[in-house]
């Protein structure tokens, strides 16, 4: 079998594609996999850690205004479509799966035109523009959350949940804490701002450290590589030994399992990983995301009773401390949110996707 997966721009699009590819390969070792990403996306860096053939196309999303740059991007999209026709004609894949990002447009659309079996994964509650276009062409649509199916009840849609890198997340809490040298009884908060970091979350954490120290809470914050050097300088005078600052956490599963509460951006992939471990969530949706999809995701988390949504324009250390206090020091709330978070995880999304397509 020949499989093409595509997804790019953010880790939330890339890692689900990798998880799907790994599952297909594990089911049939003869499966040939080609990953197609954007020419400038972080997938170029991430895929170096995996043994997949990798191709890129030159594609960027359109600006929401008339501009010379948009005209250039029309030509790039056309060029990418032609390149994809050549790649697909050469590869003759049995299946093409897109997991999000502008790169999926030319790849999946051309595959559908060429009558190749196609599928897309809509990870968010609110469907992005690329998937709205592709949804009318593909054979299968997979949703990360039940709420998405309520909004877009296509006949060919299935709620699979979002793929999680289960091989990298195979930790129980006791083992995870032991490997990280954390004690079994300490309270731990993990804060992650997404693959690109979050300025607003970084700003709130600067003062939230004081709350963590006052309450003897271990605080682990992943700030994003672009912000790390600046934040490291700002935190140089902080002597709290239970505060850990990282630009990026590679083995994030171990840290997620160790945590009691997870503060994070509201990307669908991150939320699915958190719910895989059944952790209460404080979701901080990034305001600049396409179609404001993160806010829809975060509101869903709060509506389901799995945590809180704090919008960026009101986020500060005091509000963060208030929400943490309500969860971490109220056992009933903590247990209910943990249970509701677990319910958001649909099970093995990769298996559901595989069984539907094969």
């Amino acid at each position: 079998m020949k499989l093409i997966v595509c997804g790019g721009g953010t880790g939330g699009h890339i890692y689900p594609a990798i998880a799907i590819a790994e599952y297909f390969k594990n089911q049939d070792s003869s499966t040939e996999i080609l990953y197609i990403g954007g020419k400038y996306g972080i997938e170029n860096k991430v895929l170096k850690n995996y043994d997949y053939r990798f191709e890129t196309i030159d594609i960027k999303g359109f600006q929401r205004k008339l501009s010379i740059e948009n005209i250039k991007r029309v030509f790039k999209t056309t060029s990418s479509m032609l390149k994809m026709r050549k790649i697909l004609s050469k590869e003759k894949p049995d299946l093409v799966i897109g997991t999000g990002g502008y790169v999926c447009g030319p790849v999946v659309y051309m595959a559908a035109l060429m009558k190749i079996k196609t599928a897309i994964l809509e990870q968010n509650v609110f469907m992005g523009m690329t998937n709205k276009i592709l949804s009318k062409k593909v054979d299968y649509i997979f949703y990360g959350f039940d709420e998405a199916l309520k909004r877009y009840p296509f006949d060919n849609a299935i709620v699979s949940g979002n793929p999680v890198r289960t091989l990298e997340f195979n930790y129980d809490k006791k083992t995870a804490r032991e490997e990280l040298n954390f004690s079994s009884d300490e309270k731990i908060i993990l804060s992650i701002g997404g693959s690109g970091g979050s300025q607003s979350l970084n700003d709130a954490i600067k003062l939230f450290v004081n709350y963590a120290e006052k309450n003897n809470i271990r605080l682990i914050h992943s700030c994003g590589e672009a912000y790390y050097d600046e934040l490291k300088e700002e935190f140089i005078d902080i002597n709290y030994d239970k505060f850990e600052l990282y630009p990026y956490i590679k083995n994030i599963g171990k840290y997620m399992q160790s945590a009691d509460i997870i503060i994070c951006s509201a990307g669908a992939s991150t939320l699915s990983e958190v719910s895989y471990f059944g952790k209460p969530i404080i979701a901080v949706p990034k305001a600049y995301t396409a179609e404001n999809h993160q806010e829809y995701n975060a509101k869903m988390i709060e509506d389901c009773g799995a945590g809180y949504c704090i919008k960026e324009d009101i986020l500060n250390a005091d509000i963060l401390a208030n929400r943490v206090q309500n969860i971490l020091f109220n056992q009933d709330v903590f247990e209910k949110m943990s249970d509701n978070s677990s319910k958001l995880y649909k099970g093995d999304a990769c298996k559901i996707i595989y069984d539907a397509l094969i």
Side-chain angles (χ1 to χ4, degrees):
M1 177 184 179
K2 285 190 173 183
L3 169 66
I4 290 179
V5 292
C6 59
T10 69
H13 294 145
I14 298 163
Y15 290 114
I18 291 171
I20 291 169
E22 288 180 342
Y23 188 89
F24 273 69
K25 188 74 172 178
N26 287 336
Q27 299 308 301
D28 181 356
S29 60
S30 68
T31 301
E32 297 178 33
I33 296 167
L34 172 63
Y35 193 113
I36 298 178
K39 186 176 181 180
Y40 308 103
I42 64 168
E43 53 268 34
N44 291 268
K45 180 179 179 180
V46 172
L47 266 294
K48 290 178 181 178
N49 299 315
Y50 296 87
D51 189 25
Y52 297 127
R53 287 191 301 130
F54 181 57
E55 292 264 6
T56 65
I57 57 174
D58 192 353
I59 183 74
K60 290 183 178 179
F62 292 103
Q63 299 173 339
R64 296 178 183 276
K65 60 181 179 180
L66 291 173
S67 66
I68 297 297
E69 181 60 30
N70 265 349
I71 295 173
K72 293 178 182 178
R73 293 183 185 190
V74 168
F75 284 108
K76 284 188 175 182
T77 300
T78 303
S79 174
S80 293
M81 293 282 282
L82 294 174
K83 182 177 181 179
M84 277 313 309
R85 186 173 185 85
K86 290 181 181 178
I87 291 174
L88 292 168
S89 296
K90 176 186 174 183
E91 296 290 333
K92 295 181 172 57
D94 299 290
L95 176 61
V96 175
I97 304 174
T99 59
Y102 297 117
V103 67
C104 294
V107 179
V108 178
Y109 196 89
M110 182 54 71
L113 288 180
M114 294 174 69
K115 307 301 182 183
I116 298 166
K117 185 190 289 187
T118 53
I120 55 172
L121 171 67
E122 178 49 65
Q123 302 172 53
N124 299 291
V125 170
F126 191 86
M127 188 176 282
M129 187 57 67
T130 301
N131 274 353
K132 282 182 180 177
I133 295 169
L134 294 176
S135 65
K136 298 175 176 60
K137 298 291 182 181
V138 297
D139 297 298
Y140 291 88
I141 304 167
F142 296 100
Y143 290 136
F145 298 106
D146 291 322
E147 186 65 28
L149 183 61
K150 294 175 185 177
R151 289 177 179 272
Y152 313 103
F154 293 104
D155 291 339
N156 59 339
I158 300 169
V159 179
S160 62
N162 286 315
V164 171
R165 296 165 282 166
T166 51
L167 292 177
E168 298 177 36
F169 283 31
N170 190 23
Y171 294 95
D172 60 77
K173 191 171 184 177
K174 181 176 181 292
T175 301
R177 288 199 172 195
E178 286 176 351
E179 291 189 9
L180 293 169
N181 293 316
F182 300 156
S183 66
S184 60
D185 59 347
E186 66 179 312
K187 297 186 184 301
I188 299 176
I189 296 174
L190 174 64
S191 170
I192 43 180
S195 55
S198 166
Q199 180 69 64
S200 60
L201 183 54
N202 289 340
D203 289 341
I205 290 294
K206 292 175 188 177
L207 294 177
F208 182 73
V209 174
N210 298 325
Y211 170 84
E213 183 173 12
K214 180 181 178 181
N215 290 276
N216 194 32
I217 298 168
R218 183 177 295 277
L219 175 60
I220 304 157
H221 180 55
S222 176
C223 63
E225 292 181 352
Y227 299 102
Y228 180 68
D229 289 339
E230 177 186 345
L231 277 182
K232 189 177 180 182
E233 284 297 314
E234 293 189 36
F235 284 128
I236 200 166
D237 294 327
I238 293 177
N239 296 316
Y240 184 43
D241 61 358
K242 286 191 174 183
F243 174 61
E244 302 177 27
L245 179 69
Y246 299 102
Y248 177 78
I249 300 175
K250 185 175 181 181
N251 192 353
I252 193 67
K254 193 182 297 185
Y255 284 86
M256 284 186 172
Q257 181 61 294
S258 295
D260 296 298
I261 298 174
I262 297 178
I263 303 166
C264 58
S265 59
S269 183
T270 299
L271 295 179
S272 295
E273 290 173 348
V274 176
S275 66
Y276 172 78
F277 290 117
K279 305 294 182 178
I281 304 165
I282 297 177
V284 182
K286 293 180 179 178
Y288 56 82
T289 53
E291 286 85 33
N292 200 26
H293 67 264
Q294 285 205 6
E295 186 173 331
Y296 287 91
N297 294 344
K299 286 181 177 178
M300 180 270 299
I301 293 296
E302 189 163 278
D303 291 344
C304 291
Y308 292 113
C309 165
I310 307 176
K311 295 172 66 174
E312 279 191 316
D313 58 353
I314 65 167
L315 176 66
N316 59 45
D318 290 338
I319 291 175
L320 205 52
N322 174 269
R323 300 299 188 271
V324 167
Q325 188 77 19
N326 289 346
I327 302 170
L328 203 55
F329 298 99
N330 186 325
Q331 191 63 26
D332 286 343
V333 173
F334 179 83
E335 290 178 0
K336 286 177 182 177
M337 285 189 173
S338 298
D339 184 52
N340 289 332
S341 177
S342 293
K343 289 176 181 176
L344 289 174
Y345 180 66
K346 297 300 178 185
D348 195 338
C350 291
K351 182 180 188 304
I352 295 171
I353 292 169
Y354 181 87
D355 289 346
L357 295 174
I358 302 302

